[in-house]
Structure formats: structure tokens, C-alpha cells
Amino acid sequence: MSWRSPARDAQTVTASMVFGPVIQIRDVAGNVTVVADRPPYQIGDFTPGAVPLPVGTARRQPSRLLLARHQVVPFTGRDTELDALNTWLGGAEPVSVRLVHAAGGQGKTRLARHVAAQAHAAGWLTWRVLHTPEQPATGSLWEASGGGGALVVVDYADRWPASDLNRLITDLNAVSLRTGLVLRVLLLARSAGFWWAALRDRLDSEHAITAEAHRLPPLDEHIDRAVLFDQARERFATALDVPGTAGITARDLTGTGFRQILAVHMAALVAVDAHHHVRTPPTQPHALSAYLLNRERAHWHHLHARTEDRRPTSPEVMGRAVYLATLTGPVTRDDATTILTRTRVTEPGVATVIDDHRFCYPPDDPNTVLHGLRPDRLGEDLIALSTPGHPHTGADDWQPDDWAATAAHTLLTGEPATWAPGAVTVLVETAHRWPHIATDVLYPLIRQHPQLALAAGGAAITRLAELPHVDLTALQAVEELLPTDRHINLDTAAAAISTVLTHHRLGITVHPAEQARLLGTHARRLANAGRRAEALAPAEEATVVYRRWAEADPAAYLPDLAMALGNLGNYLSELGRRAEGLAAADEAVAIYRQLAEANPAVYLTNLAMSLTNLDASLSELGRPDEGLAAAEEGVVIQRRLAEADPATYLPGLAVSLTNLGSRLSEMGRPAEGLAVAEEASGICRRLAEVNPAVYLPDLALSLTILGVFRSELGRRAEGLAAAEESVAIYRGLAEANPAAYLPKFAASLTNLGIRLAEFGRRAEALVVAEEASGICRRLAEVNPAARLPNLAVSLTNLGIRLAEFGRRAEALAVAEESVAIYRRLAEANPAAYLPGLAASLTNLSALLAESGRRAECLAVAEEAVTIHRRLAEVNLAAYLPKLARSLRAYALLCVKVKANLPQALETAVESVHVYQQLAAQLPQMFGSQLLSAYRVLADVLEAVGRKDEAGVLRQQLKEALGGT
């Protein structure tokens, strides 16, 4: 890498990658990638070598020897894990992600550093990523790898917001695509819960990035802990310069408290340090932490008591500052002042306390203060042992501080602060090993201030729900703040809480109808989180129970049965069981219609929504005309309700209008559809501006439909803008909850590809089409019954885009696959899938002709015309344009392959006649296509020897276009 200093008025960057803002780059050479915006992370070199620790520092603060960066104890063991990671590094994928997860102290960071050292020695780049959303990321430059790749290590991955973690990997993937650099992203985390499943599915579905998880197992009975102890003892003795430790042997290390490598290393470190100070070392895990914490206290006392360069902060106050720093993590000096003042840690002065703490614990980032005690496990033990309520209060233990009993509550219950989410996360993690932190600190805090859990985010809430014997009242307090319907940032957490509380509530609820209500609510939570397959069983059970009770007492339970049927119908349809879904939706409408007749004030809105659901089910089964009737009735009802009470009913009207727009599109009524789509998107936009977490999905869907109508009616620039906005929204939604939003994101991408191609932006259209088909393929592999139709649509469009780029062999393979899928679908449900089959056949016929397969192409084109003619007989408005297109395509194909020319003339003339009718009604939509039909007719006339007529027609076309 070459870098010319700014003082010389130039910058030279060669064969490097730049992350973060760059003001100016000159003399650029080689392969340079620039990520210009400010990402929510910082990437820096991850130096795999050991960071030396002076003996004096180690003696004063022996716990520092446990930090992985000092590598005091050489990495040993973990052969199975190392082999797996080395195989992963050497894989063929350009980008791959691996999660290593385990409890604190299991050796994740040590393993990562060892792997990084091996990779670095083999010529790889090694990078470390820090999540710093509150700080501007600075530009960083790295030379290109000399033959290897780049290993990127991300610690605390489970604490990142899902969108930020996905942003990081998306950016890294872009680097790989641009430079060809092989990238391996190693995530380290304590858990692999919902957050990991969401990220893994997102990466696989959108980017085809392989992502696998590996749980780092604790030490088992087959590993000789005494040997690990001896190895660590020797190294710690050398680091502390303590002779005569060879005779120190491990005491009992068989307990569960020593299943972590860190616990064994702590035992060895304490044994050596105790030997140096002629003390008897403790043996219990908590006592080991207490010993090391007391050694920290001794250091504080020494700094406070010495005469030269004395630190005014007392050991008691320093202990409280370390407690707070471990709880909040690094903060700005202003925030540190607030933290210390709020918790009354102010003697001998807030600024002095900050400076003295900084002297003891220098921060990694010079712009921050209050760097917490590390390793994390020791820091958590400091919090736990300082807090009254645990049984370990012997003479040699770390003594509890009454101040700590209320410190967390005092810190977190004032004005909202940036450090609160991190502090709650630390408390949750500490509570997993220290029950009194859960019962005496965390649960009371969450019960009284459940908004703190929401601020900490979905990952923290999920870990809270996973606590052993979790306090149900605390979960209930959080649950009460959750929205009753979907919320793009909280759906996953809501499902986790619902899983715990529903299991408990079903166990104490004896009334079957109440059990059904619980099951129905749980199913909805699971479905909102994208876990539809799991939602099906409780939804079915709830429906069975309500049906039984509705038969006995219809007045009381028919509304519940209708609601359960409506939800069940949605889940069945989303899982590809569309006929069953339609049956449930139809029954729900029938019940709500009966209820609304008796009590319209209460049940009209339910009837309207059930009609919207019925419309969608009918359309999926190829009955759009019946669906249109249901959609129109739903809109009429919703409009009446919204006029009387817009605040309550506008959201329902927007949903119904969006569905009606879809149906009008299918029925070939674009002018009416545009007006409906404009109204729907307008309402959705206003709702999303007020409450984006709830209504952004509705806005995204309405924009997709609006884009289609605008483009069809000649307003292509506006159509493209709507499609681009829809994709942008869905991309964000899919980052937060891929299970719920990836299918619709893929559909919006397919639509965007079409819009881009209409503008001649073919390169972008192809990229988008490839992304869409990649997502659809992976979704179809998981759930073919539900997702094969989406795959077929995306493949049809991808084939067209590939052909436009001259990649005909690939285009042909894709088109043939699309036709094959549509044939299977149409055999099972011709009404729903014959239109798609006909469109895919038209595309395939052109590609076959270009490949020289004349006989096949004509047969395929004739089949497409036959299907479209049959469809137009049933629904002229919807399928007449498609028939005209297939007629025109068939005629042109005959000219290209010089076959069936008399028949080609007939179809070309018929195509012109049809387009004349269509253009008379909608010139902005069909005028250009009529001209194309005339051109094809001229080509056919010339091919059959009627050259004079062809010439006259072409001259007329030229004059009609102004002589161009």
C-alpha cells in the first residue's frame, strides 16, 4: 500500500479498499473499492500477534493476563473446531459466514485469534469489526491480499441490531464482488437464537451466502483439565516472574463451574499469584473471581495511598466506577459525567473519578472513557458479587456494596440515555449465571420499566425470555408494551415472549375457549415473525375448539370462530395449501356476513377484512373475477366506515384498496386500477409517516402495485420511482425480519427489473432479476408448495433479461425451467397457472428460435397462442392484450424461421386488429404496441412476397412517426 501524506497535497491509494468517508483520493491505481457512506461499524486491522504485558502491570492487575489479546497461554486443543474452521477458510465460496457461539469464558475469542494468526501467516488479511453506531467511522486502508483472502472477525454479534449486521455483510459481499477478494466472516456470540436464524436465512435467500453455526462445547469429562491447568500455570508464572510454581497442582476441577476454559485459566492464575503472595488460593469459581477482584482493589488502594502521583479516588469509589463502566460500556466524557452524577459517584470529583478510572483501565478508543472490566465473565462477576443477595460473603470474598443494590435502577430509570440498552443487555447476560441479579435487579427493573427492555432490542428481549425460570410478570410487563399487531422491529421478540407465556398460560387455564384464545394469539405472533409453519398447529387447534363451542353457543363464540378461520385461511394459503385456505376464508366470510346483518356496528369491519382475505384466496386459485367481487364489496364497506371514523378505519381501507388494485390489474382494467392504487398508496404513506413500524409493509405493497399501473399507462418514470421505493422499503423489512418479508421483497425486485428494462437500464435490470430469482429459488427449496409460483415468475423475467444481454444459452435454460414449473402447476390448477404458462411459453419460443430449434419454437409459440385465445374467451378484458402480444410474437417468429408464412399473415393481421381496438380505448398504453404490430405485419407481407404493400405500410409508419 502506498500513502502520500496530505501535507504534500496529494493522496495515492494503490490496490486497497476504503471504508468510511473519504474527502479526496488522487492518483488512484489498481483495484480500489470505496464505500462512501458512513456505516454503523468500524473495520480495523486485527493483529493476530500477542500484545505484550509488562511484568509490573501483570503483578498489579493479574486479571489482565486472562485477556485473549495478550495470548499468555498458548492456544491448545479444539482440534475438531480448528479443522472445521480451516476447511471453511479453504472453501470455494467467495463469501461465507460462520458463527461460533458459546457461553462467556468458553474460549471464543482465543479461538478466533488463533485462526486469525494462522490465516495471517498464510497471507490472508485479518480484520476486526466494532459496532459503533454512535461514532463516525474513519476511513481505513488495507493492501490487497497477496494470495489469500480476508478473515473478518465480529465479536458480540448477537448484540448487533439485525439490520446493522446484515449491512456489514452486504457491504463486505459488495467488496468481494467488485474485487474478487475471498471473504470469510467469523461471528462470535453467546447465543444462536432467533437473531441467527433470521440472519442466516436473509444471507442465504438474498445473497446466496452460506452461513453456518457451530456451538463451541464446554470442557467435558474426556478433556484433562489438570493438564490445561498445568500449561496455564507455567505461562502465568513466567508472565508474573514467579519462580517455584512447578509443585502447584490443580485442586478439584471436576465441577460444572470449570467447564469453561476461562475458569480453568483463572484457577491457574490465582494459584500462581497466591503462591507469590504466600496465600492459600481459593478453589470455587466464584471465589476465584473474588480473588482477582480483590487484587484489582489492592491496585486501586496502592494508587490511592502512594505519595508520588497519588490518585485521589478511593478504592470504594473506584469499585463503583468500575461497576458502572462494566455495565454501560465505553461512553463519551459527557455521558460518563451524567452516569457518575446520577448514581452519586462524585467524590472527590466527577472529572477526577473519570481520569483515575481511565488511568487504571485505558480505553481502546481514545475518544471514550469508562472502559469496562474484562474478560466479560469477570466483569459480570464483579456486578454480581458487588450486588447484595448472593450467598458468597466469606472473609476472603468480594464484599457486596449496598450502593450496588440500587445502582442499576438509579442509573437506568432517569432520563432515557444511550447507554441504557447496553446496560440492560449486560444485566440479562449476568442474570443467566447469577440468579440474584435476575430476581433482585433485572426483574424488578423490567417490571417497573418494561420500556427499557424494548429499548435494548429484540435480541436482549429474546435472551430475557430464555432465562431459566424467567419471571413471568416481567415478561408480561414487556408484553403489554408490545403492539397487538405486527411491528417490524419487535415481531421476533414478541414471538419469543409469546412462546414462554403461552406455554405457562395453557398450563393454568382450564376453560377450552380461553385456551383457544391463547393459541390464536400465539399463532398470530409466530406468523408475524415469519414462523408460519409453527403458527399453523396452534391456529388449527384454536379453530377446532372454537368450532365446538360455537356449535353449543353460537351467540357467544361465532365471532371467535370467524376470526380463527380467517387467520387459519391466511396461514394455509401462505404455506401453499390454497384450497384449504380458500375454504377457511369462505367460511369466515359467511359467518361475518351473518354477524354483520345482526350487528353491523360491531362486525362490518370484520366482514370487510374477511372479504379482502377471500379475494386473495380466490385470486391465488385462478378465480380473479370472483375475487374482484369480494374486493369491491370490501372496499365499499371500508370506505363507509372510514368516512365516519377515519382514524380507526383508514388502515383497513388502505389494505382493501391495495387488494382491489391487484384484482383490477388481473382483470385488465388499468385505468380504474391506477385510481385505486393512487388512493391506496396515498393513505399508506400518511399512515407510515406516523407509524412506520406498523404501516411500512402496507406502503411497500401499495407502491409495487402503483408502479405497475403507472408503467402500463405510459407513466414509466413515475412507475419506476414507485418500484424503486417499494424495493428500498422491502429490503429494510427483509433485513429486520427475513422470514416474514423476503417473499414480498423478491416480488418487488422482479417488478423493479421489468421497470428498469422499460427504461433501457438493462444492466441494472439483469442484476435485480438475478437477485430476485436467487431469493425465490431458495424460498422454493424450503416450501415448494407456496413458493414455486414466485420462482416461475422470476425465472420468466430473468430469461428475458439474460437474452437482452446476449446470454442466450443461460436464458434458454432459465426459460425451459420456468415452463417446466408452470406445466406442473397448471396441471394441478389450470385456472391459476395457465396465464403464467402461456407467458413463459411465448418467451421460450423466441429463445428456441435463436438457438436454431425451428420446429420446437413454432410448436411452443402455437401453444402459447392457443392458451391465450382460450383465456380471452373467458375474460376478454384481462387476456385480450396478452393474446395480441402472443399473436404478434408468433407472426414474427414465423418470419425469422421462414416457416408457416400464410398462417403468420393471418395472425399478424389479427394482432393489428386487436391492438387497434385496445389503442382506441387506451392509446397511452397500447399505442406503441399497435405500431409494433404494424411493423411485424410489414415484415410478414415482405416475407410472403407482397413487397409493395410492405413498403407502403412502412412509409405510412414513418410518416405517422414524423418522418423518423
Side-chain angles (χ1 to χ4, degrees):
M1 175 183 71
S2 60
W3 171 264
R4 190 179 303 164
S5 69
R8 296 173 61 181
D9 194 31
Q11 301 176 11
T12 301
V13 184
T14 303
S16 301
M17 275 162 285
V18 181
F19 290 80
V22 176
I23 304 303
Q24 179 184 27
I25 299 178
R26 296 179 179 173
D27 305 322
V28 176
N31 197 354
V32 177
T33 297
V34 180
V35 181
D37 60 341
R38 180 169 292 170
Y41 55 80
Q42 290 182 345
I43 297 182
D45 286 318
F46 183 30
T47 306
V51 178
L53 188 67
V55 172
T57 303
R59 286 187 170 185
R60 289 190 297 270
Q61 294 174 282
S63 65
R64 289 197 181 188
L65 294 172
L66 298 169
L67 299 178
R69 67 173 177 265
H70 298 305
Q71 300 182 32
V72 175
V73 181
F75 186 88
T76 58
R78 299 293 189 190
D79 293 337
T80 301
E81 289 78 11
L82 283 175
D83 288 343
L85 288 171
N86 286 330
T87 301
W88 169 65
L89 287 173
E93 303 90 347
V95 179
S96 183
V97 177
R98 176 66 60 95
L99 168 68
V100 173
H101 62 99
Q106 208 77 300
K108 301 183 295 295
T109 304
R110 284 169 49 81
L111 175 65
R113 293 191 73 89
H114 185 72
V115 172
Q118 290 182 323
H120 190 268
W124 282 56
L125 302 169
T126 50
W127 301 339
R128 180 183 64 173
V129 185
L130 298 177
H131 184 243
T132 55
E134 75 284 354
Q135 301 169 14
T138 57
S140 299
L141 302 168
W142 295 276
E143 290 187 31
S145 173
L151 173 64
V152 186
V153 179
V154 185
D155 207 350
Y156 305 105
D158 49 345
R159 300 185 186 181
W160 283 52
S163 57
D164 289 352
L165 193 56
N166 183 73
R167 162 73 183 279
L168 166 67
I169 300 174
T170 300
D171 289 348
L172 291 171
N173 187 51
V175 168
S176 177
L177 289 173
R178 291 168 186 158
T179 67
L181 183 67
V182 173
L183 280 167
R184 296 291 179 264
V185 184
L186 180 59
L187 308 178
L188 307 179
R190 289 195 173 186
S191 66
F194 293 128
W195 75 272
W196 168 246
L199 177 66
R200 179 196 60 213
D201 294 345
R202 175 82 168 84
L203 296 176
D204 178 52
S205 298
E206 184 172 340
H207 300 299
I209 293 177
T210 302
E212 297 180 356
H214 177 80
R215 177 177 174 271
L216 200 61
L219 302 178
D220 59 27
E221 63 276 7
H222 301 297
I223 297 176
D224 193 334
R225 301 177 190 180
V227 172
L228 294 178
F229 177 94
D230 291 341
Q231 293 171 341
R233 181 204 64 221
E234 292 177 9
R235 292 290 180 162
F236 288 136
T238 300
L240 291 167
D241 193 19
V242 177
T245 61
I248 299 175
T249 59
R251 299 195 182 185
D252 185 10
L253 299 175
T254 59
T256 57
F258 293 99
R259 297 189 71 197
Q260 289 79 34
I261 292 176
L262 179 61
V264 176
H265 285 183
M266 288 173 66
L269 175 61
V270 167
V272 172
D273 190 78
H275 175 79
H276 177 61
H277 291 91
V278 195
R279 297 177 56 184
T280 301
T283 58
Q284 296 301 312
H286 80 276
L288 296 172
S289 292
Y291 179 96
L292 292 172
L293 293 173
N294 279 315
R295 294 288 288 114
E296 296 289 320
R297 181 186 289 275
H299 177 54
W300 307 335
H301 186 273
H302 169 74
L303 294 175
H304 181 63
R306 67 188 183 182
T307 56
E308 183 179 349
D309 193 23
R310 176 180 176 272
R311 294 291 162 176
T313 303
S314 68
E316 179 185 45
V317 173
M318 182 61 74
R320 293 175 179 177
V322 175
Y323 175 104
L324 292 169
T326 304
L327 195 59
T328 65
V331 294
T332 64
R333 183 172 284 271
D334 287 344
D335 282 346
T337 300
T338 303
I339 289 168
L340 295 173
T341 303
R342 183 179 291 185
T343 55
R344 301 181 299 282
V345 183
T346 57
E347 295 295 334
V350 171
T352 300
V353 174
I354 293 173
D355 290 337
D356 288 353
H357 180 276
R358 184 187 179 93
F359 180 84
C360 287
Y361 303 97
D364 295 331
D365 185 341
N367 296 315
T368 63
V369 294
L370 294 189
H371 185 75
L373 184 63
R374 296 292 183 267
D376 288 340
R377 188 181 182 89
L378 183 62
E380 292 165 6
D381 287 349
L382 165 69
I383 292 171
L385 290 169
S386 298
T387 305
H390 61 82
H392 309 302
T393 55
D396 294 328
D397 284 316
W398 179 266
Q399 295 304 307
D401 184 350
D402 289 343
W403 167 88
T406 58
H409 188 276
T410 302
L411 175 67
L412 297 172
T413 56
E415 291 295 320
T418 57
W419 62 77
V424 171
T425 299
V426 171
L427 287 174
V428 171
E429 292 299 334
T430 305
H432 270 270
R433 290 189 300 110
W434 291 92
H436 77 292
I437 294 296
T439 57
D440 299 348
V441 180
L442 180 63
Y443 295 153
L445 186 68
I446 298 301
R447 284 195 296 263
Q448 297 173 37
H449 305 281
Q451 69 274 10
L452 289 171
L454 264 67
I461 294 174
T462 300
R463 287 288 283 166
L464 173 67
E466 292 171 349
L467 277 167
H469 313 294
V470 63
D471 183 87
L472 299 178
T473 58
L475 288 186
Q476 288 167 353
V478 177
E479 182 190 46
E480 289 175 3
L481 294 184
L482 296 173
T484 56
D485 203 352
R486 71 186 179 200
H487 188 288
I488 58 179
N489 298 318
L490 295 173
D491 284 337
T492 300
I497 288 182
S498 179
T499 299
V500 175
L501 292 181
T502 301
H503 177 76
H504 165 72
R505 289 164 175 166
L506 289 174
I508 63 174
T509 302
V510 296
H511 197 287
E514 177 61 17
Q515 291 178 337
R517 186 190 67 79
L518 292 171
L519 289 166
T521 300
H522 183 46
R524 188 173 68 252
R525 290 293 196 195
L526 291 170
N528 287 342
R531 298 162 59 184
R532 298 178 182 89
E534 297 173 67
L536 186 59
E540 288 177 324
E541 188 175 350
T543 303
V544 169
V545 173
Y546 278 136
R547 189 181 298 283
R548 185 166 61 247
W549 282 84
E551 290 171 355
D553 188 354
Y557 294 107
L558 264 181
D560 296 316
L561 174 59
M563 179 66 71
L565 284 165
N567 290 331
L568 177 61
N570 288 336
Y571 307 151
L572 287 166
S573 294
E574 288 168 352
L575 291 171
R577 297 165 59 177
R578 295 181 176 88
E580 297 170 81
L582 174 59
D586 201 17
E587 186 177 1
V589 167
I591 295 173
Y592 274 130
R593 196 178 294 283
Q594 174 186 339
L595 293 169
E597 288 174 357
N599 192 345
V602 174
Y603 294 113
L604 263 181
T605 183
N606 302 98
L607 173 59
M609 291 310 299
S610 67
L611 285 165
T612 298
N613 292 336
L614 178 61
D615 157 44
S617 294
L618 287 165
S619 175
E620 288 175 344
L621 287 171
R623 297 158 62 180
D625 49 343
E626 298 173 68
L628 178 62
E632 289 176 326
E633 183 182 1
V635 166
V636 168
I637 296 172
Q638 294 282 23
R639 194 180 297 284
R640 190 189 321 153
L641 293 169
E643 288 171 355
D645 185 357
T648 301
Y649 296 111
L650 266 180
L653 174 59
V655 172
S656 295
L657 285 168
T658 299
N659 264 41
L660 177 58
S662 296
R663 223 53 62 228
L664 289 168
S665 176
E666 292 178 22
M667 297 299 292
R669 295 161 61 178
E672 299 168 75
L674 177 61
V676 168
E678 296 274 12
E679 183 181 4
S681 64
I683 297 172
C684 289
R685 190 177 297 282
R686 293 196 297 275
L687 293 170
E689 288 171 354
V690 176
N691 195 343
V694 174
Y695 296 113
L696 269 179
D698 294 332
L699 175 59
L701 180 59
S702 68
L703 286 168
T704 298
I705 297 168
L706 177 61
V708 172
F709 281 127
R710 283 176 170 174
S711 295
E712 287 181 344
L713 292 171
R715 295 163 56 180
R716 290 182 174 174
E718 297 171 80
L720 176 60
E724 289 177 323
E725 185 180 2
S726 175
V727 165
I729 295 172
Y730 270 131
R731 193 180 292 279
L733 294 171
E735 287 174 358
N737 190 343
Y741 296 110
L742 265 180
K744 290 181 179 177
F745 174 48
S748 70
L749 283 169
T750 297
N751 176 55
L752 176 59
I754 297 171
R755 305 285 83 82
L756 287 166
E758 290 172 344
F759 259 75
R761 293 163 60 179
R762 293 178 177 177
E764 296 169 81
L766 177 59
V767 171
V768 167
E770 288 178 323
E771 183 180 7
S773 63
I775 296 172
C776 290
R777 186 179 299 284
R778 286 177 285 279
L779 291 172
E781 288 171 356
V782 176
N783 187 353
R787 304 304 173 200
L788 268 179
N790 307 91
L791 175 59
V793 172
S794 69
L795 288 172
T796 297
N797 285 286
L798 176 59
I800 297 170
R801 304 287 86 81
L802 288 167
E804 289 172 345
F805 258 76
R807 294 162 59 179
R808 293 184 176 84
E810 297 171 78
L812 180 59
V814 165
E816 289 178 323
E817 183 182 3
S818 176
V819 167
I821 294 172
Y822 269 128
R823 282 201 192 282
R824 294 201 304 272
L825 294 171
E827 287 174 2
N829 188 345
Y833 299 114
L834 273 178
L837 174 59
S840 66
L841 286 167
T842 299
N843 179 45
L844 176 60
S845 66
L847 292 168
L848 288 169
E850 291 173 357
S851 300
R853 295 159 63 176
R854 297 175 51 185
E856 293 175 78
C857 76
L858 289 173
V860 167
E862 288 172 352
E863 184 181 4
V865 170
T866 299
I867 295 173
H868 277 131
R869 198 178 296 283
R870 191 190 319 161
L871 292 170
E873 290 173 356
V874 176
N875 188 337
L876 192 64
Y879 295 111
L880 191 60
K882 296 178 175 62
L883 172 60
R885 178 177 178 272
S886 65
L887 289 167
R888 184 184 65 196
Y890 176 77
L892 182 60
L893 196 66
C894 291
V895 172
K896 287 182 177 180
V897 300
K898 297 180 176 57
N900 294 359
L901 294 179
Q903 188 175 352
L905 182 58
E906 293 178 14
T907 54
V909 170
E910 183 180 2
S911 174
V912 167
H913 288 163
V914 172
Y915 274 126
Q916 286 174 336
Q917 300 173 40
L918 294 170
Q921 300 170 10
L922 288 171
Q924 71 273 37
M925 185 172 180
F926 296 110
S928 62
Q929 296 185 47
L930 173 59
L931 293 176
S932 295
Y934 273 124
R935 292 191 186 98
V936 171
L937 177 57
D939 291 342
V940 176
L941 286 168
E942 184 172 354
V944 297
R946 296 162 64 176
K947 295 182 180 181
D948 292 342
E949 295 174 72
V952 170
L953 181 55
R954 288 189 177 116
Q955 181 61 35
Q956 290 174 340
L957 287 171
K958 185 176 181 179
E959 293 172 357
L961 292 172
T964 61

